[in-house]
Amino acid sequence: MVEELLKIGALKDGSALQTPSVKLKRLTRKEEVQRVFAEGRKFISPSFVIFSLEDPLPDLLYAIHIRKKLGSAVERNRIKRVYREALRRQKVSLRGHKLVVIPRV
């Protein structure tokens, strides 16, 4: 068990445990986003839709697609900030995934 803990982020001497290092990165290439749409799993909620695709990298890759229908630019930017913060807080549990989040009205 100690070896497993050392693998997931403990210090080499085993004295203190740290959370694994997971980075929150944006999906920037159109091809990557389209691949998530085509091959990923779809999760539907009244307030958003999420497409998820497992990825071999330990980071959390995300994209937020928002339509002009949801409000003015200020409101849309606030929605994106809120979703980014939610992803940042859950990045350890969501590591190894590519996500595309689509907020709803």
Side-chain angles (χ1 to χ4, degrees):
M1 180 172 164
V2 174
E3 292 81 22
E4 292 175 23
L5 292 174
L6 289 172
K7 286 180 187 176
I8 62 168
L11 296 176
K12 293 205 184 252
D13 62 357
S15 62
L17 296 177
Q18 297 176 344
T19 58
S21 172
V22 178
K23 291 186 180 180
L24 190 64
K25 295 182 180 179
R26 287 178 41 197
L27 284 173
T28 55
R29 297 179 57 217
K30 185 176 180 178
E31 296 82 22
E32 292 176 341
V33 174
Q34 288 177 342
R35 183 170 174 241
V36 174
F37 280 133
E39 299 175 16
R41 295 183 62 198
K42 184 177 184 179
F43 301 97
I44 300 173
S45 167
S47 56
F48 57 86
V49 176
I50 293 181
F51 288 86
S52 174
L53 182 65
E54 288 191 31
D55 190 39
L57 297 175
D59 298 330
L60 173 61
L61 301 161
Y62 76 96
I64 300 173
H65 286 271
I66 193 162
R67 300 172 72 186
K68 286 188 177 181
K69 183 175 165 178
L70 292 179
S72 67
V74 174
E75 293 167 343
R76 292 192 309 267
N77 286 333
R78 175 160 173 79
I79 291 169
K80 287 191 280 187
R81 284 195 306 270
V82 168
Y83 278 98
R84 272 195 304 266
E85 179 64 18
L87 290 173
R88 186 190 66 81
R89 290 182 181 204
Q90 296 297 322
K91 67 182 178 182
V92 174
S93 61
L94 295 173
R95 70 176 174 242
H97 283 86
K98 290 182 180 180
L99 299 177
V100 177
V101 180
I102 305 171
R104 289 181 160 183
V105 176

